[in-house]
Amino acid sequence: MTKLITVIAIFIFTLASAQEQQVPTGGQFEQGMGKAFGLWKEGTSSEASDLFERIAAAEPSKWLPNYYVALVNTTAAFGTKEKEQISLLLTKAQKALDVEMGKEQNNAELYVLQAMINTAWIVYDPMINGQKLSGPTMGLYAKAEAIAPNNPRVVFSKAEFEIGGAKFWGQDTKPMCMQIDKAIALFATFKPETAFAPSWGLDRALEAQKNCK
């Protein structure tokens, strides 16, 4: 099971690398967000997280800065094997996400990110967290799907998580692979609401599609 969950983690770890942002010029928020994405792209995730955190403090009405604090730290957690560091990163991610979840319970992107944090904890300790968090994680994807059934990240992430479980139990993955096909079609027409809104996932969905075949 550890190997299976690790495979899932490798898929999730590179999701953020596909987050393409067309950074607009303008106010301090846009400039700050653009700079933070630049730091993240350069591989300095800690500095990017710190900047996103400062932006979140200055712009409490905007959910995206804390979203990216959580996403940066979650993907960083998938990229390290040091248990203590993983715990610190995921704790920071959860703290940032909790702020936004406390404001808004109708945002599918937040539920997908919470599911990613849960998956990271499963990787951290599969024997303990696998049984404890697998059910709640599927519940998060169900909530996200109810809110935004045509969001490609919702469709893809849920299918990918289900594929991991299906492979572990020796079940047919064809239904999940069909959902990945659906997600790829949705990516073709999906338009983020703003320049900084989440847009990642297509590259991982295409790779998952190849593995399905």
Side-chain angles (χ1 to χ4, degrees):
M1 183 173 182
T2 301
K3 183 178 180 181
L4 172 64
I5 297 298
T6 302
V7 170
I8 296 172
I10 291 171
F11 269 82
I12 295 173
F13 170 60
T14 59
L15 289 180
S17 66
Q19 176 71 28
E20 296 291 341
Q21 300 293 342
Q22 295 181 352
V23 180
T25 58
Q28 290 184 335
F29 175 76
E30 289 77 12
Q31 292 176 9
M33 291 290 284
K35 183 177 180 181
F37 277 111
L39 290 169
W40 194 17
K41 186 176 181 180
E42 292 169 4
T44 54
S45 59
S46 178
E47 290 83 351
S49 173
D50 289 344
L51 182 50
F52 280 127
E53 198 168 6
R54 291 196 294 273
I55 298 170
E59 301 280 356
S61 65
K62 294 181 169 63
W63 66 276
L64 285 170
N66 269 323
Y67 171 88
Y68 286 111
V69 172
L71 185 61
V72 167
N73 284 281
T74 301
T75 54
F78 281 118
T80 181
K81 295 182 180 179
E82 297 179 11
K83 290 280 189 177
E84 184 176 351
Q85 182 67 7
I86 292 171
S87 182
L88 289 172
L89 290 166
L90 293 180
T91 298
K92 187 169 186 176
Q94 190 66 65
K95 182 179 178 181
L97 186 60
D98 283 346
V99 171
E100 301 309 320
M101 292 289 278
K103 301 175 188 175
E104 175 64 72
Q105 286 81 49
N106 199 42
N107 187 329
E109 300 285 2
L110 298 181
Y111 286 112
V112 170
L113 185 49
Q114 181 64 71
M116 289 175 63
I117 293 173
N118 284 7
T119 304
W121 280 117
I122 293 172
V123 175
Y124 177 84
D125 193 335
M127 297 303 295
I128 293 177
N129 295 331
Q131 183 174 1
K132 182 171 69 173
L133 293 177
S134 291
T137 300
M138 284 305 303
L140 289 165
Y141 282 128
K143 288 180 180 179
E145 192 173 38
I147 295 167
N150 293 320
N151 181 308
R153 270 168 304 287
V154 172
V155 177
F156 167 66
S157 299
K158 180 174 179 286
E160 188 177 47
F161 190 80
E162 288 177 327
I163 283 175
K167 287 183 176 179
F168 178 76
W169 295 107
Q171 298 171 344
D172 185 13
T173 60
K174 185 176 179 180
M176 298 83 163
C177 287
M178 291 175 65
Q179 288 298 300
I180 289 176
D181 292 339
K182 176 183 176 181
I184 291 171
L186 290 171
F187 273 115
T189 58
F190 180 82
K191 293 182 179 180
E193 293 182 0
T194 67
F196 298 110
S199 62
W200 54 263
L202 177 58
D203 61 333
R204 300 312 310 167
L206 290 170
E207 185 167 344
Q209 185 184 56
K210 290 179 183 178
N211 290 335
C212 276
K213 296 178 180 178

